Amino acid sequence: MNRRQFLLTSALTSMGWFTIPPFNSWGMVSEKQKHPLSFFHTHTGESLEIPLSKGRLLPSVQRELNMFLRDFRTGDIHPIDPALMNILSNIQRLARSRGTIEVISGYRSKKTNQALGRKNHGVAKKSLHMKGQAIDIRITDVPTRKVRDIATAIGFGGVGYYPKSDFVHLDTGQFRTW
């Protein structure tokens, strides 16, 4: 943990915001903490609101989410890791946000990832987007820098910050930042 992460974690803890349920279980989210997640896909213009039921994604909601976060370039659909929704829910709760989550990228097929990698050297060859374990977002009522800071303080998964493009990458892999 670097100095910035330590200071942010200390600040969030002292403010009483750092009471996060375990990430290995959707079911650990209390009734008080639950709220629907509202999404807008910046490339397709589609919107989706995900209701939480007893802290879990119902199978029908999981199917809707998979379709919504499909590879918009190819139309390929892949299962999305529900832990991403847990991360987003916790970020919104800690930020006291009710804003819309704007999706820049969800699932990416291998074909799309390779094409993006040829254009941009920052695209990982083994991107977690290809496993349905990553999402690139911004939240309408939270600055992306704050989204990054909260996600980093949570310390779960990967957190990439792209200030010029104004989005944050979140994934359910090993904790790391860039």
Side-chain angles (χ1 to χ4, degrees):
M1 180 180 282
N2 65 30
R3 186 172 187 268
R4 177 185 285 164
Q5 291 168 333
F6 173 78
L7 292 173
L8 180 62
T9 302
S10 298
L12 289 173
T13 302
S14 68
M15 293 167 54
W17 290 2
F18 206 69
T19 54
I20 300 169
F23 285 98
N24 60 358
S25 173
W26 255 121
M28 297 303 290
V29 179
S30 75
E31 291 296 321
K32 194 167 131 180
Q33 295 169 335
K34 288 191 284 183
H35 68 274
L37 296 175
S38 296
F39 294 93
F40 174 78
H41 200 295
T42 61
H43 294 285
T44 66
E46 297 171 336
S47 296
L48 178 69
E49 186 169 292
I50 296 177
L52 301 177
S53 176
K54 296 183 182 177
R56 294 187 247 265
L57 290 176
L58 296 172
S60 61
V61 174
Q62 180 71 54
R63 284 190 296 276
E64 282 184 88
L65 182 65
N66 296 345
M67 179 65 176
F68 179 77
L69 294 177
R70 70 191 177 279
D71 182 333
F72 67 90
R73 293 170 181 91
T74 66
D76 293 348
I77 299 170
H78 190 276
I80 300 300
D81 186 346
L84 282 172
M85 301 307 106
N86 199 5
I87 293 169
L88 292 172
S89 179
N90 280 302
I91 289 170
Q92 281 202 299
R93 184 175 53 80
L94 291 169
R96 298 182 180 181
S97 165
R98 294 289 182 192
T100 300
I101 299 166
E102 295 181 343
V103 176
I104 289 85
S105 183
Y107 168 69
R108 287 197 303 240
S109 66
K110 185 175 181 179
K111 179 181 175 181
T112 294
N113 204 66
Q114 288 173 341
L116 290 173
R118 286 190 291 273
K119 292 179 186 177
N120 181 346
H121 296 293
V123 175
K125 289 181 182 178
K126 294 184 178 181
S127 171
L128 292 177
H129 283 279
M130 296 188 304
K131 294 182 176 184
Q133 296 177 313
I135 191 167
D136 298 335
I137 59 110
R138 66 178 72 98
I139 302 174
T140 56
D141 62 350
V142 182
T144 53
R145 177 182 216 128
K146 185 173 179 178
V147 172
R148 182 226 28 215
D149 291 346
I150 293 171
T152 300
I154 290 171
F156 182 84
V159 181
Y161 178 51
Y162 299 89
K164 288 183 181 176
S165 301
D166 192 33
F167 74 87
V168 177
H169 166 96
L170 303 168
D171 67 53
T172 60
Q174 186 176 337
F175 177 70
R176 65 218 182 284
T177 62
W178 62 94

